[in-house]
Amino acid sequence: METHPVRYWADYPEKSSRGILLLRTFLGWLILLPHFFLLWILSIAEVFVFFIAWWAILFAGKFPRGMFDFVVKVLRYSLWVSGYMVMLTDRYPPFFGAAEPGADYPVHLEAAYPEKSSRGILLLRTFFGWLYVGIPHGFCLYFLALAVMVVEFLAWWAILFAGKFPRGMFDFAVGVTRWSTRVNAYMLMLTDAYPPFSLT
């Protein structure tokens, strides 16, 4: 049973559309342009929120709830867009704020709000995160990302000819995203739980 405070999963599609596959392949950059622009704006806002939250944790030992929810929503939104891009779903992603956790969009992210955040972990992560998070996880995720590229290439042809994303390949792609999402959540101070070296 999954116990990590950051949960990511995607609903497996029994069928995938060849038409959407081709549309996404050749015009994906164009149809997702509004999302890319909005994510860019949100990332700027997130920098300011992150800066204020850092000081709040340092002095109060707590990530302000409204700021926490905002960062989670931005992360969830980016996962909706990337999930569509990498064929985990054929459903065009809703725009930021258009859907909440528990909505029926097939790419999901939930993060448990921490009532307390550790000042020690905050400082350790700030000054040495690159060493104890970035290097080991970055090394693993680099090779996993290469594997995902191969899986996505094979899945593209499987969808084109069979109309279906092979289940094992789908689960692998979701697992790698889950791993990287937990690393991101840790570095964004959403949790003090060190990310596991795991696809599950």
Side-chain angles (χ1 to χ4, degrees):
M1 182 177 176
E2 188 176 3
T3 58
H4 196 276
V6 176
R7 299 179 61 236
Y8 169 84
W9 73 100
D11 302 331
Y12 177 67
E14 292 299 332
K15 283 289 183 183
S16 297
S17 166
R18 297 174 178 89
I20 292 176
L21 175 73
L22 296 173
L23 179 68
R24 183 169 40 209
T25 300
F26 297 108
L27 294 175
W29 62 272
L30 182 61
I31 61 179
L32 289 172
L33 195 59
H35 288 288
F36 295 149
F37 178 74
L38 185 51
L39 279 168
W40 176 69
I41 297 295
L42 290 168
S43 68
I44 295 172
E46 194 175 37
V47 169
F48 291 99
V49 169
F50 186 80
F51 177 79
I52 296 168
W54 192 94
W55 289 102
I57 293 172
L58 183 64
F59 288 108
K62 193 169 185 176
F63 200 130
R65 183 61 190 256
M67 294 182 176
F68 177 90
D69 291 342
F70 175 78
V71 174
V72 171
K73 284 183 178 182
V74 173
L75 183 56
R76 180 182 299 120
Y77 180 38
S78 69
L79 289 168
W80 289 343
V81 174
S82 64
Y84 179 79
M85 287 172 57
V86 299
M87 308 178 298
L88 298 181
T89 179
D90 284 343
R91 286 187 52 192
Y92 190 75
F95 282 90
F96 178 77
E100 296 296 327
D104 64 350
Y105 193 71
V107 176
H108 310 272
L109 173 70
E110 292 179 358
Y113 177 67
E115 292 299 332
K116 282 289 183 183
S117 296
S118 167
R119 297 175 179 90
I121 292 177
L122 174 72
L123 294 173
L124 183 67
R125 180 170 40 209
T126 300
F127 297 107
F128 298 104
W130 62 271
L131 178 63
Y132 77 99
V133 181
I135 291 177
H137 283 283
F139 179 80
C140 295
L141 287 169
Y142 173 78
F143 290 102
L144 287 170
L146 294 177
V148 166
M149 289 174 62
V150 175
V151 164
E152 291 287 337
F153 175 78
L154 296 174
W156 192 93
W157 290 102
I159 293 171
L160 183 64
F161 288 107
K164 192 169 184 177
F165 199 132
R167 183 62 189 256
M169 293 181 178
F170 179 89
D171 290 342
F172 177 74
V174 169
V176 173
T177 304
R178 179 181 297 116
W179 184 333
S180 66
T181 298
R182 287 175 174 166
V183 172
N184 288 336
Y186 182 79
M187 295 307 293
L188 289 170
M189 308 182 303
L190 299 178
T191 178
D192 286 341
Y194 187 78
F197 290 82
S198 173
L199 300 178
T200 61

